[in-house]
Amino acid sequence: MPTKKKPQVTAAAARRGELLGIAAEVFAEHGYNATTVRRIADHAGMLAGSLYYHFDSKESMLEEILRTFLDELWDGYDTVLAAGLGPRETLEALVTESFREIDRHRAAVAIYQKESGQLVAQDRFAFLADSQRRFEKAWLSTLERGVAERVFRADLDVRLTYRFVRDTVWVAASWYRPGGRHSPEEIARQYLTMVLDGIAVRA
């Protein structure tokens, strides 16, 4: 049976991806409001006018950065949630997938953490609020299922636990650097050991 050929990335598409990567780093470092098209162009080593050949505005760049990150995040999360795992295994898989996303999209995660609160008020970024609602539902339902099945403690405050897990996982984007001494999977294992020792039912 003939193997399916991978679609070739054109030079223009590769350059577009490179520019989005540069823009994400600049947004993450300087903040969305303080970042201008000229600043992104300077980091890319090109004239500001040339950047408009690829993107019509910095808003469109930011939207593509965040949509790409969230689309990949939900591809991973949906696979986990559809796998029929137990609540503990689901929690472990969601945490691991989260750290993998930080590895793949560290700058985008940092932007999401810092900027989503103000961006959701804009119509073009309404998808951020939709994603936040889905995110909360996925995590809360997993924790609630764990309590109901007596995998997690009966006295667990699931909403407080959700906020703790959410914030302590995603804040890793502020210090994690791809290619460091620990892989995202190793960091997830260490993190899960600390968390689950506190919420798992003791024999």
Side-chain angles (χ1 to χ4, degrees):
M1 187 173 180
T3 57
K4 190 176 180 179
K5 291 184 178 179
K6 293 182 178 179
Q8 291 187 339
V9 178
T10 65
R15 180 56 172 162
R16 182 184 180 85
E18 180 185 356
L19 292 173
L20 284 171
I22 292 170
E25 293 293 340
V26 178
F27 285 136
E29 181 179 355
H30 299 284
Y32 174 66
N33 288 332
T35 298
T36 62
V37 171
R38 180 179 295 278
R39 172 171 270 172
I40 297 170
D42 287 344
H43 279 262
M46 62 195 301
L47 297 173
S50 300
L51 196 58
Y52 285 109
Y53 174 78
H54 300 275
F55 307 96
D56 60 15
S57 65
K58 73 170 188 175
E59 289 83 4
S60 65
M61 298 182 78
L62 182 62
E63 181 181 0
E64 188 165 343
I65 289 165
L66 292 175
R67 282 190 182 276
T68 299
F69 153 58
L70 290 174
D71 285 349
E72 289 194 17
L73 175 71
W74 281 107
D75 281 347
Y77 273 19
D78 286 341
T79 298
V80 170
L81 296 171
L85 303 173
R88 178 175 177 135
E89 292 75 20
T90 299
L91 178 66
E92 291 173 339
L94 289 174
V95 167
T96 301
E97 190 60 39
S98 298
F99 278 109
R100 286 175 179 152
E101 282 304 309
I102 292 171
D103 181 63
R104 288 190 285 258
H105 296 288
R106 185 203 62 80
V109 174
I111 297 165
Y112 183 86
Q113 290 290 94
K114 295 175 186 175
E115 309 285 357
S116 59
Q118 65 170 351
L119 290 173
V120 291
Q122 302 179 37
D123 288 343
R124 79 181 298 166
F125 292 104
F127 66 91
L128 296 176
D130 294 337
S131 182
Q132 287 168 359
R133 285 189 289 270
R134 289 179 64 195
F135 189 88
E136 181 173 306
K137 181 180 178 182
W139 286 86
L140 286 177
S141 63
T142 299
L143 292 167
E144 288 166 352
R145 188 160 58 96
V147 172
E149 295 179 15
R150 303 184 68 183
V151 175
F152 304 145
R153 295 199 323 255
D155 64 341
L156 190 71
D157 185 322
V158 293
R159 188 164 291 276
L160 185 61
T161 303
Y162 155 69
R163 289 173 177 165
F164 169 78
V165 172
R166 176 196 64 191
D167 294 347
T168 53
V169 166
W170 293 113
V171 77
S174 66
W175 54 262
Y176 178 80
R177 292 296 179 273
R181 62 180 294 190
H182 299 297
S183 70
E185 291 79 12
E186 289 168 338
I187 295 172
R189 280 195 296 270
Q190 290 291 328
Y191 176 85
L192 286 162
T193 297
M194 291 183 283
V195 170
L196 291 172
D197 281 347
I199 67 174
V201 172
R202 293 190 176 95

